[in-house]
Short mmCIF file of all heavy atoms in Angstrom, two decimals:
data_model
loop_
_atom_site.label_atom_id
_atom_site.label_comp_id
_atom_site.label_asym_id
_atom_site.label_seq_id
_atom_site.Cartn_x
_atom_site.Cartn_y
_atom_site.Cartn_z
N GLU C 34 16.87 26.33 -23.26
CA GLU C 34 17.86 26.80 -24.22
C GLU C 34 18.92 25.74 -24.48
O GLU C 34 19.30 25.48 -25.64
CB GLU C 34 18.53 28.07 -23.68
CG GLU C 34 19.48 28.71 -24.65
CD GLU C 34 19.99 30.04 -24.12
OE1 GLU C 34 19.24 30.76 -23.45
OE2 GLU C 34 21.16 30.34 -24.40
N ALA C 35 19.39 25.10 -23.43
CA ALA C 35 20.42 24.07 -23.58
C ALA C 35 19.92 22.89 -24.40
O ALA C 35 20.63 22.39 -25.29
CB ALA C 35 20.89 23.60 -22.20
N ILE C 36 18.71 22.45 -24.14
CA ILE C 36 18.16 21.31 -24.88
C ILE C 36 17.92 21.68 -26.34
O ILE C 36 18.21 20.89 -27.24
CB ILE C 36 16.87 20.80 -24.21
CG1 ILE C 36 17.22 20.19 -22.84
CG2 ILE C 36 16.15 19.78 -25.08
CD1 ILE C 36 16.03 19.84 -21.99
N LEU C 37 17.41 22.89 -26.59
CA LEU C 37 17.21 23.33 -27.98
C LEU C 37 18.55 23.36 -28.72
O LEU C 37 18.65 22.87 -29.85
CB LEU C 37 16.56 24.71 -28.02
CG LEU C 37 16.48 25.36 -29.40
CD1 LEU C 37 15.64 24.52 -30.35
CD2 LEU C 37 15.94 26.77 -29.29
N CYS C 38 19.58 23.91 -28.09
CA CYS C 38 20.89 23.98 -28.74
C CYS C 38 21.44 22.59 -29.04
O CYS C 38 21.99 22.36 -30.12
CB CYS C 38 21.87 24.76 -27.86
SG CYS C 38 21.52 26.52 -27.80
N ARG C 39 21.26 21.66 -28.11
CA ARG C 39 21.71 20.28 -28.36
C ARG C 39 21.00 19.66 -29.56
O ARG C 39 21.61 18.98 -30.38
CB ARG C 39 21.47 19.41 -27.13
CG ARG C 39 22.49 19.61 -26.06
CD ARG C 39 22.30 18.60 -24.95
NE ARG C 39 22.51 19.29 -23.70
CZ ARG C 39 21.85 19.07 -22.59
NH1 ARG C 39 20.92 18.14 -22.54
NH2 ARG C 39 22.10 19.74 -21.50
N GLU C 40 19.71 19.91 -29.65
CA GLU C 40 18.95 19.35 -30.78
C GLU C 40 19.38 19.96 -32.10
O GLU C 40 19.51 19.27 -33.11
CB GLU C 40 17.45 19.56 -30.57
CG GLU C 40 16.83 18.59 -29.61
CD GLU C 40 17.06 17.15 -30.03
OE1 GLU C 40 16.75 16.78 -31.18
OE2 GLU C 40 17.56 16.38 -29.20
N VAL C 41 19.61 21.27 -32.12
CA VAL C 41 20.04 21.93 -33.36
C VAL C 41 21.41 21.41 -33.77
O VAL C 41 21.64 21.14 -34.96
CB VAL C 41 20.04 23.47 -33.19
CG1 VAL C 41 20.70 24.15 -34.37
CG2 VAL C 41 18.61 23.98 -33.03
N VAL C 42 22.32 21.23 -32.82
CA VAL C 42 23.64 20.70 -33.14
C VAL C 42 23.53 19.26 -33.64
O VAL C 42 24.24 18.86 -34.56
CB VAL C 42 24.57 20.79 -31.90
CG1 VAL C 42 25.84 19.97 -32.08
CG2 VAL C 42 24.91 22.24 -31.61
N ASN C 43 22.62 18.50 -33.08
CA ASN C 43 22.44 17.10 -33.46
C ASN C 43 21.83 16.96 -34.86
O ASN C 43 22.26 16.11 -35.65
CB ASN C 43 21.57 16.39 -32.43
CG ASN C 43 21.44 14.92 -32.68
OD1 ASN C 43 22.40 14.27 -33.09
ND2 ASN C 43 20.26 14.39 -32.45
N VAL C 44 20.86 17.80 -35.20
CA VAL C 44 20.12 17.65 -36.46
C VAL C 44 20.75 18.43 -37.61
O VAL C 44 20.61 18.05 -38.76
CB VAL C 44 18.64 18.07 -36.24
CG1 VAL C 44 17.85 18.01 -37.54
CG2 VAL C 44 17.99 17.17 -35.21
N HIS C 45 21.45 19.51 -37.34
CA HIS C 45 22.10 20.35 -38.34
C HIS C 45 21.11 20.90 -39.39
O HIS C 45 21.29 20.68 -40.59
CB HIS C 45 23.21 19.60 -39.08
CG HIS C 45 24.28 19.07 -38.20
ND1 HIS C 45 25.19 19.87 -37.57
CD2 HIS C 45 24.59 17.79 -37.84
CE1 HIS C 45 26.00 19.13 -36.86
NE2 HIS C 45 25.66 17.86 -37.00
N PRO C 46 20.09 21.65 -38.99
CA PRO C 46 19.12 22.15 -39.96
C PRO C 46 19.68 23.22 -40.91
O PRO C 46 19.15 23.44 -41.98
CB PRO C 46 18.00 22.72 -39.10
CG PRO C 46 18.67 23.12 -37.84
CD PRO C 46 19.74 22.09 -37.63
N TYR C 47 20.78 23.85 -40.52
CA TYR C 47 21.34 24.92 -41.34
C TYR C 47 22.23 24.41 -42.46
O TYR C 47 22.79 25.20 -43.21
CB TYR C 47 22.10 25.93 -40.47
CG TYR C 47 21.18 26.63 -39.49
CD1 TYR C 47 21.26 26.39 -38.13
CD2 TYR C 47 20.20 27.51 -39.95
CE1 TYR C 47 20.41 27.02 -37.24
CE2 TYR C 47 19.35 28.14 -39.06
CZ TYR C 47 19.46 27.90 -37.71
OH TYR C 47 18.61 28.52 -36.84
N THR C 48 22.35 23.11 -42.60
CA THR C 48 23.15 22.55 -43.69
C THR C 48 22.35 22.44 -44.98
O THR C 48 22.91 22.15 -46.02
CB THR C 48 23.69 21.15 -43.32
OG1 THR C 48 22.59 20.29 -43.03
CG2 THR C 48 24.64 21.23 -42.14
N THR C 49 21.05 22.67 -44.90
CA THR C 49 20.19 22.61 -46.09
C THR C 49 19.77 24.00 -46.50
O THR C 49 19.91 24.97 -45.75
CB THR C 49 18.93 21.77 -45.80
OG1 THR C 49 18.23 22.35 -44.70
CG2 THR C 49 19.30 20.33 -45.46
N LYS C 50 19.26 24.10 -47.71
CA LYS C 50 18.85 25.39 -48.26
C LYS C 50 17.65 25.96 -47.51
O LYS C 50 16.70 25.24 -47.19
CB LYS C 50 18.49 25.20 -49.74
CG LYS C 50 18.16 26.48 -50.46
CD LYS C 50 17.86 26.23 -51.92
CE LYS C 50 17.46 27.52 -52.59
NZ LYS C 50 17.06 27.33 -53.98
N LYS C 51 17.71 27.26 -47.25
CA LYS C 51 16.62 27.93 -46.54
C LYS C 51 15.34 27.84 -47.36
O LYS C 51 15.33 28.06 -48.56
CB LYS C 51 16.97 29.40 -46.30
CG LYS C 51 15.97 30.13 -45.47
CD LYS C 51 16.42 31.54 -45.16
CE LYS C 51 15.41 32.21 -44.26
NZ LYS C 51 15.86 33.55 -43.86
N GLY C 52 14.26 27.45 -46.70
CA GLY C 52 12.96 27.33 -47.36
C GLY C 52 12.71 25.98 -48.01
O GLY C 52 11.64 25.74 -48.56
N SER C 53 13.68 25.08 -47.94
CA SER C 53 13.52 23.77 -48.58
C SER C 53 12.67 22.85 -47.70
O SER C 53 12.51 23.05 -46.50
CB SER C 53 14.89 23.13 -48.83
OG SER C 53 15.51 22.79 -47.61
N THR C 54 12.12 21.81 -48.35
CA THR C 54 11.32 20.84 -47.61
C THR C 54 12.19 20.03 -46.65
O THR C 54 11.72 19.63 -45.59
CB THR C 54 10.59 19.90 -48.58
OG1 THR C 54 11.53 19.26 -49.43
CG2 THR C 54 9.57 20.65 -49.41
N GLN C 55 13.46 19.81 -47.02
CA GLN C 55 14.36 19.08 -46.13
C GLN C 55 14.59 19.86 -44.84
O GLN C 55 14.56 19.28 -43.75
CB GLN C 55 15.72 18.81 -46.81
CG GLN C 55 15.66 17.86 -47.97
CD GLN C 55 15.32 18.59 -49.29
OE1 GLN C 55 15.21 19.81 -49.33
NE2 GLN C 55 15.13 17.81 -50.33
N ARG C 56 14.80 21.16 -44.97
CA ARG C 56 15.02 21.99 -43.79
C ARG C 56 13.77 22.04 -42.92
O ARG C 56 13.84 21.96 -41.70
CB ARG C 56 15.43 23.40 -44.21
CG ARG C 56 15.92 24.24 -43.06
CD ARG C 56 16.50 25.53 -43.59
NE ARG C 56 17.18 26.26 -42.56
CZ ARG C 56 17.95 27.29 -42.77
NH1 ARG C 56 18.16 27.73 -44.00
NH2 ARG C 56 18.55 27.91 -41.79
N SER C 57 12.63 22.13 -43.56
CA SER C 57 11.36 22.14 -42.83
C SER C 57 11.17 20.84 -42.06
O SER C 57 10.75 20.86 -40.89
CB SER C 57 10.21 22.35 -43.80
OG SER C 57 8.99 22.31 -43.14
N SER C 58 11.49 19.72 -42.69
CA SER C 58 11.33 18.44 -42.00
C SER C 58 12.31 18.31 -40.84
O SER C 58 12.00 17.69 -39.81
CB SER C 58 11.49 17.27 -42.97
OG SER C 58 12.81 17.19 -43.45
N MET C 59 13.49 18.90 -40.97
CA MET C 59 14.45 18.89 -39.86
C MET C 59 13.91 19.68 -38.67
O MET C 59 14.03 19.25 -37.52
CB MET C 59 15.79 19.46 -40.30
CG MET C 59 16.56 18.57 -41.23
SD MET C 59 18.09 19.38 -41.73
CE MET C 59 18.98 18.02 -42.41
N TRP C 60 13.31 20.84 -38.94
CA TRP C 60 12.73 21.64 -37.85
C TRP C 60 11.54 20.94 -37.23
O TRP C 60 11.32 21.02 -36.02
CB TRP C 60 12.36 23.04 -38.33
CG TRP C 60 13.56 23.93 -38.48
CD1 TRP C 60 14.07 24.45 -39.63
CD2 TRP C 60 14.41 24.40 -37.42
NE1 TRP C 60 15.18 25.20 -39.35
CE2 TRP C 60 15.41 25.19 -38.01
CE3 TRP C 60 14.42 24.21 -36.04
CZ2 TRP C 60 16.41 25.81 -37.25
CZ3 TRP C 60 15.42 24.84 -35.30
CH2 TRP C 60 16.40 25.62 -35.91
#
Side-chain angles (χ1 to χ4, degrees):
E34 185 174 325
I36 293 171
L37 172 62
C38 289
R39 282 187 221 143
E40 282 303 307
V41 170
V42 167
N43 185 38
V44 176
H45 302 290
Y47 296 111
T48 58
T49 58
K50 184 178 177 184
K51 185 175 183 176
S53 68
T54 57
Q55 293 86 5
R56 190 172 190 169
S57 178
S58 67
M59 288 178 165
W60 283 114

